[in-house]
Amino acid sequence: MRLGLYGGSFDPVHYGHLLLAECCREVLQLDEVWLIPASVPPHKQARELAPGKARFEMLELALGGHEQLRASRLEIDRGGVSYTVETLTAVHEQHPAATIFLLMGADSLRDLPTWREPGRICELSVPAVVRRGGAAEPDFRVLTPLVSVERLTAIRAAQVQMPLIELSSTDLRDRAVAGKSLRYRTPRAVEKYIETHGLYRLDPKG
């Protein structure tokens, strides 16, 4: 089994997230991609997120029954700060024969050496770095102290390119606060969920 794991706040999910997951699924020939909303992201502990239940439900709506992309409650159910190494360990225990790909952007690659147990992360998974259209080659040298030459070659080979799509969850939250349209930025079902549940209206600085 070739399994892709894509973590994040997904606060809220938007078409950029979905396109990244689908491009990785196709290019890396993944059997499944799990989109895993964090309980508390390590780098966003100071910001209040929408409830985990809401972020998970929006993900399920966004995926709309895609057979190979699914939302996972793994980090939400575990609670506390969501460390990638703990998630990878749990998935590896559940699926010891799976080849796990950790889907990430080039910005996350730069930060990876500062994460908890980065060497172990690279043992448990192959970081699959996504290059957005027109972006420069990622600097994989940041991983040199963490992995073998052979592992680094495998990580380089797992690069994925996707079209440039200028969307961010921050922008969607700001637009929701201001009462602006979210149409064509996120699936219609997610847009309606945000509207129905009044998400983000009381968090103008989010």
Side-chain angles (χ1 to χ4, degrees):
M1 180 182 183
R2 293 169 66 84
L3 174 61
L5 302 184
Y6 181 21
S9 303
F10 301 112
D11 190 29
V13 60
H14 54 67
Y15 278 125
H17 296 132
L18 302 177
L19 183 58
L20 185 152
E22 179 66 4
C23 286
C24 289
R25 183 198 66 78
E26 186 174 53
V27 173
L28 299 174
Q29 299 181 320
L30 303 177
D31 296 296
E32 291 184 5
V33 176
W34 297 1
L35 288 82
I36 309 175
S39 174
V40 180
H43 59 294
K44 295 183 180 178
Q45 296 183 56
R47 183 175 74 78
E48 184 175 348
L49 302 175
K53 177 177 181 290
R55 291 181 287 118
F56 175 78
E57 289 176 349
M58 286 189 286
L59 260 178
E60 285 202 309
L61 290 170
L63 296 176
H66 191 307
E67 292 183 355
Q68 292 169 283
L69 304 186
R70 70 179 185 89
S72 168
R73 291 185 56 92
L74 184 61
E75 293 185 348
I76 289 174
D77 288 346
R78 190 169 69 231
V81 178
S82 299
Y83 291 107
T84 298
V85 68
E86 295 177 359
T87 299
L88 288 171
T89 299
V91 174
H92 181 69
E93 289 174 354
Q94 294 171 9
H95 303 278
T99 300
I100 301 173
F101 293 83
L102 183 64
L103 313 186
M104 63 174 63
D107 52 345
S108 294
L109 172 68
R110 287 193 299 270
D111 295 338
L112 182 55
T114 69
W115 293 8
R116 176 172 288 189
E117 297 186 56
R120 181 64 174 154
I121 288 173
C122 294
E123 289 176 17
L124 292 168
S125 68
V126 178
V129 180
V130 179
R131 297 174 59 187
R132 291 171 173 82
E137 171 87 4
D139 185 2
F140 289 97
R141 291 175 297 177
V142 297
L143 300 182
T144 301
L146 303 175
V147 300
S148 67
V149 173
E150 292 78 12
R151 192 61 165 175
L152 189 57
T153 299
I155 293 170
R156 285 182 181 274
Q159 288 184 70
V160 174
Q161 188 154 0
M162 67 174 282
L164 179 63
I165 179 168
E166 295 285 0
L167 289 173
S168 75
S169 294
T170 299
D171 179 60
L172 265 67
R173 292 194 303 271
D174 289 344
R175 294 184 69 85
V177 167
K180 294 181 179 179
S181 171
L182 303 184
R183 186 71 60 90
Y184 305 125
R185 290 172 168 82
T186 190
R188 181 65 168 162
V190 175
E191 180 186 356
K192 297 303 291 183
Y193 186 99
I194 292 170
E195 179 183 316
T196 300
H197 291 80
L199 293 181
Y200 311 119
R201 291 180 185 170
L202 300 180
D203 186 19
K205 296 181 181 179

